[in-house]
Each structure stands twice: as structure tokens, then as C-alpha cells.
Amino acid sequence: MAETSDTRTPAEIEADIKRRRDTLAETLDEIGVRVHPKTIVGDARAKVVSNLDHTLGRAYVSVNRVVGDVRGQFVTEDGAPRVERIVPVALVVVGVVGLLALGTRRRRA
């Protein structure tokens, strides 16, 4: 059986008890803040915003890469337009717009 002898004075014991109570009170206050509904909602909102920012950042990089690739198809490295590629695409766009306009006009009539 281990012998425990406490050589502290009653004042030291009371000071130790007070210090432990204060530490326990701080811990309980911290736990109360962590489990408070506003804190939980705030943490969840921050996590959603962080994930959204990350997703939007990745989407921006992807779109920027695609735009750069498409731009590379219609512009040379020195910035000059590639007419041999632009003209056929422009003709297709004009044809599609024309067909859509005709379809809309026929529905109205």
C-alpha cells in the first residue's frame, strides 16, 4: 500500500483547489462555446464557404485552361488571327442563328 503524505498547508491546498476550479470553469466555458448552436452553424457555414471557394477556384482554372486552348485554335502564338479557322466557324454560327430565326418566325405565323 502506497503511503501518501501531503506536506502542504491548508492555505496551499485551498489555493490548489481554487486554481483547479478556475481551470475547470474555463474548460466548461470553452465547451459551452463550442457546442453552442451559433458556433456550430458558424463553423458549418465557414466549411461550406471554404469548400465552395475551393470548387469555384478549380472551376475557374479549368475554364481558363479551356478558353486558352480554344483561343489557341483561333490565334497564332504571336497574336495574329487564324483566318482559315475563324471563317468556317463564323459561317456555321451564322447558319445556326439563321435556322433558329427561321424556326421562330414559322412558329409565330
Side-chain angles (χ1 to χ4, degrees):
M1 188 152 109
E3 187 177 321
T4 57
S5 62
D6 198 354
T7 58
R8 298 180 295 171
T9 65
E12 291 172 334
I13 293 172
E14 287 177 14
D16 189 36
I17 290 171
K18 183 181 181 329
R19 198 171 39 255
R20 290 181 187 211
R21 269 192 203 138
D22 291 343
T23 302
L24 181 59
E26 288 176 18
T27 303
L28 289 174
D29 288 344
E30 189 175 314
I31 290 171
V33 168
R34 287 184 185 178
V35 298
H36 193 276
K38 286 185 180 180
T39 304
I40 294 171
V41 169
D43 290 348
R45 182 178 295 137
K47 190 172 186 177
V48 167
V49 167
S50 174
N51 287 339
L52 184 62
D53 285 347
H54 184 265
T55 302
L56 290 176
R58 290 180 66 182
Y60 176 78
V61 169
S62 297
V63 168
N64 200 15
R65 185 178 303 127
V66 169
V67 167
D69 291 346
V70 170
R71 184 175 183 268
Q73 296 295 317
F74 296 103
V75 178
T76 62
E77 291 180 14
D78 61 350
R82 292 184 176 177
V83 178
E84 72 277 3
R85 292 188 179 175
I86 293 173
V87 171
V89 171
L91 291 174
V92 168
V93 169
V94 168
V96 168
V97 169
L99 289 173
L100 289 174
L102 283 174
T104 303
R105 187 177 284 180
R106 286 185 181 173
R107 287 186 196 151
R108 290 183 186 172

